[in-house]
Amino acid sequence: MSHKKYIFVIGGVMSGVGKGIASASIGLILKSRGFRVTAVKIDPYINVDAGTMNPVEHGEVFVTDDGDETDQDIGNYERFLDANILRDNYMTTGRVYQSVISRERNLEYGGKCVEVVPHIPYEVIDRIKKAATKSRAEITMVEIGGTAGEYQNILFLEAARMMHLKNPEDVLFIFVTYLPVPSKIGEMKTKPTQMAVKSLNSAGIQPDFILCRAEQPIDNPRKEKIALFCNVQKDAIISAPDIDIVYQVPINFEKDKLSEKILKRFGLKPKQKNLNAWRRMVAIAGNGKDKVRVGIIGKYFASGEFILSDAYISVIESIKYACWKYKRKAQIEWLNSDLYEKDPAALKELKNFNCLVVPGGFGSRGVEGKIAAIGYARRNHLPYLGLCYGMQLMVVEFARSVCGLKDANTTEINPKTKNPVIHIMPEQAEKLAKKQYGNTMRLGAWPCVLKRGTLAQKLYGKNKINERHRHRYEFNNTYRSLLEKNGLVISGTSPDNKLVEIVELPPDSHPFFVGVQFHPEFKSRPLNPHPLFLGLVEAGISVKK
């Protein structure tokens, strides 16, 4: 293959149409045909990264191995492609402008008048090509955030148009649209799609394929109408109906032979055809009869479940993968820690669960309720996994209930506590004092050494691991010997032994009580579930047989 190939995925009609899953799925089916594939996400925000965005509004902040705080779609790419996606594969309007302005200040434009067009599109193109080169990709998926016709993403569409103009044989456009079926009419409507494509045409882009999202599969008359009025071939209209499991999407695309059609447009021949493992996983996911009931106590409970699924998407998917490995279905339920604060008797509902998870988060809302739930899990041998904040609160609960430090706390919640078992990292205190909030936490993959003979070491099956972090607060080593003397096992530390990364209770006193300072959910994949989630689910199944 002489030239690298690029596929731009653009959305129309409305936001939330599924461009991220479509991009990841197309990447997967092309990878299954033997090609090296990577994916790039472009967010039309002035924010330099996703770290300062509210998860309630924007979804999960996903952290890469090299410490970038990105949009949740980078997580989708990693899970579908089973590959690490790094900083170069994510850009925002803010990041692009910041780079151009910095170069102008450094006289890198040789005294030229620097303009929005063409210099911003040129910067976008350079970044796309850099990502493809660094990933050694033969085919690069490029998802442009937003919707065709919006002002915010016009410069990214301009970059895509320029790339196609220069090398038309190496660039394809895939348009993801939505076809509504008004309940009072009962007929699938194509007019919004026709208008959206015309809007895209006004940016100088003609789609090669149109993916038709809808409540039901698109029928032949609708395909013919879209083909005629949107100027595409009928076989390039791909049906993408609503489904229960997003991992079914690549299989549905292949029913329409999408990978074959894309490769034909590029003048490429498939090297192989191998989606077998993925098909087996999807078959298990859709047919599990026995359920594993998992309770999650998250910060955003009161925001509505449709938002929770975005704010904690990596945690949710990691639980599902582990359940599927044991041929079970995950029954995930959201637990309100505010309720446990008001009514401690409500904790009794936890006896109905196989296991409990407290994920990462910030702030004081419902924190005492979380600590009460963690205490219940410890006393009643309910398998528990604490992630980041969930690990810190696990330490607070243990210090209070087992070590007798009744006022133990994290300084994030009570800066004046007499027993700060969790405190801010010194370098983080300096950054907060200077109001340096963006991209300043302890981020990215860090090494961790596991203590031999511990549950963590058994689950990982090795002595040294690398896991991704996103936090400002840490375990306070002043209390290390006291906590250990009372039975808390420190099973993972930084190589210099200064930072506590994993704590647990020994298996002879609890089936699974583990807290980790990092975010294992960021490294869990559908075909390769994370060992900590596998351990949690296995313990949950064993406890409630």
Side-chain angles (χ1 to χ4, degrees), residues 298-480:
K299 176 180 177 182
Y300 307 106
F301 179 88
S303 302
E305 290 193 13
F306 71 100
I307 288 179
L308 281 168
S309 64
D310 275 352
Y312 298 113
I313 187 170
S314 289
V315 174
I316 294 167
E317 299 308 296
S318 297
I319 292 169
K320 289 179 182 177
Y321 307 155
C323 290
W324 297 343
K325 189 75 172 182
Y326 292 104
K327 295 182 170 57
R328 306 286 180 113
K329 183 171 287 188
Q331 182 179 331
I332 297 171
E333 298 183 34
W334 304 101
L335 304 176
N336 190 348
S337 59
D338 291 337
L339 176 62
Y340 302 147
E341 289 186 3
K342 298 171 186 174
D343 181 16
L347 287 168
K348 289 187 295 185
E349 70 174 341
L350 295 178
K351 68 181 180 182
N352 300 315
F353 289 85
N354 293 88
C355 40
L356 179 67
V357 176
V358 174
F362 306 92
S364 61
R365 177 175 153 190
V367 70
E368 291 300 327
K370 291 179 183 178
I371 292 171
I374 293 168
Y376 178 96
R378 179 182 55 79
R379 294 188 303 272
N380 293 278
H381 298 127
L382 173 65
Y384 170 80
L385 178 60
L387 308 172
C388 194
Y389 200 34
M391 173 266 204
Q392 295 172 1
L393 297 182
M394 171 182 165
V395 171
V396 170
E397 192 282 329
F398 191 87
R400 289 180 182 179
S401 303
V402 181
C403 302
L405 304 177
K406 299 301 181 183
D407 66 338
N409 215 326
T410 164
T411 56
E412 180 180 1
I413 303 303
N414 181 9
K416 297 181 180 180
T417 179
K418 293 180 181 178
N419 287 294
V421 291
I422 302 294
H423 63 166
I424 195 165
M425 303 170 75
E427 62 270 25
Q428 291 299 321
E430 292 176 15
K431 289 171 181 175
L432 290 183
K434 297 175 183 177
K435 296 188 176 181
Q436 296 174 348
Y437 300 109
N439 205 238
T440 58
M441 284 186 267
R442 187 181 184 218
L443 293 166
W446 291 85
C448 172
V449 177
L450 304 180
K451 185 177 181 180
R452 291 181 181 275
T454 60
L455 177 58
Q457 195 263 341
K458 177 184 176 183
L459 291 171
Y460 278 99
K462 49 188 174 182
N463 300 323
K464 190 173 182 180
I465 59 173
N466 276 275
E467 291 283 4
R468 299 179 192 177
H469 292 248
R470 186 177 186 251
H471 59 99
R472 298 187 192 277
Y473 293 80
E474 277 280 359
F475 184 104
N476 188 342
N477 284 322
T478 302
Y479 296 87
R480 193 161 168 173

Side-chain angles (χ1 to χ4, degrees), residues 16 42 49 55 65 92 112 129 156 236 246 271 282 287 294 304 324 353 361 367 373 383 437 444 456 477 479 505 544:
I42 301 175
D49 54 53
D65 256 12
T92 65
K112 291 181 180 178
K129 290 184 175 180
F156 300 119
V246 294
K271 303 175 185 179
V282 171
N287 296 314
V294 184
W324 297 343
F353 289 85
V367 70
Y437 300 109
N477 284 322
Y479 296 87
L505 287 182
K544 287 188 179 294

